[in-house]
Amino acid sequence: MTIRKMVLSVAMVAMLAETAAAQEAKIDPMTVVPDPATVATPKLDFAETPEDAADYDKYFYFHRDGTSFEEALADLRDCDGFARGLSSGYRYQEAPYPYTYTAAGVAGGLIANAMMSAIFGSAEKRRLRRVNMRRCMGYKDYARFGLQKDLWQEFNFEEGFSAEEEGKRQAMLAQQAKVASGPRPAAKELGL
């Protein structure tokens, strides 16, 4: 083997190793399926109060009998994808006609729209996310069960004006999948 061929061979091996390392570093967290044994099982047992029951439209989890962890995670990721980046529906509203193109009309419109967005926008986006998750998971034949707010917050997230960091989001979806594919809850099923 000539020196030239040896240098080319070494260079080729180095290039292939570099390419493999770059591909490993760019793993999409949406495609990683963790080992279910490594995913923490959230606490679901609690003594129900009337206040808890009144909030079951906000704080709930899903379960489907006979579902594997991988299926549940894929379903949750699918529904989460539909529920991401929703618009609250609150848009810029112009000032009433006589003030439309005046400085007062513009300033008042900006202030009013900023206040509407701050007051209602984030809450509406969270509500829309919950509705979309319920519909999507219901369509996939998952049952819904209520949960106490403090327990729910341990493995769920709400998005208003900001998105959850992707690594944390995927870890929480994995915990939700563990619950969705685990033993059937003793709690009362809520329906959609």
Side-chain angles (χ1 to χ4, degrees), residues 87-97 99-118 121:
S87 173
S88 70
Y90 290 101
R91 300 276 186 254
Y92 178 79
Q93 299 293 313
E94 289 190 10
Y97 171 69
Y99 306 104
T100 301
Y101 300 106
T102 66
V106 171
L110 287 174
I111 292 168
N113 281 289
M115 288 177 60
M116 287 288 289
S117 178

Side-chain angles (χ1 to χ4, degrees), residues 101-143:
Y101 300 106
T102 66
V106 171
L110 287 174
I111 292 168
N113 281 289
M115 288 177 60
M116 287 288 289
S117 178
I119 294 169
F120 300 111
S122 183
E124 181 65 7
K125 287 178 95 168
R126 290 190 306 271
R127 185 190 71 78
L128 289 172
R129 175 179 169 64
R130 288 190 301 267
V131 168
N132 277 6
M133 288 300 290
R134 284 171 61 171
R135 286 183 180 161
C136 182
M137 293 299 281
Y139 176 76
K140 295 174 181 283
D141 292 325
Y142 283 83

Side-chain angles (χ1 to χ4, degrees), residues 72-94:
L73 184 58
D75 289 341
L76 282 159
R77 284 177 173 168
D78 187 38
C79 292
D80 179 59
F82 289 127
R84 280 184 184 216
L86 297 170
S87 173
S88 70
Y90 290 101
R91 300 276 186 254
Y92 178 79
Q93 299 293 313
E94 289 190 10

Side-chain angles (χ1 to χ4, degrees), residues 59 147-158 172:
Y59 308 115
L147 193 60
Q148 191 178 52
K149 179 181 179 179
D150 293 337
L151 297 176
W152 183 88
Q153 289 175 328
E154 293 295 319
F155 66 106
N156 287 278
F157 53 89
E158 288 190 299
M172 288 183 174

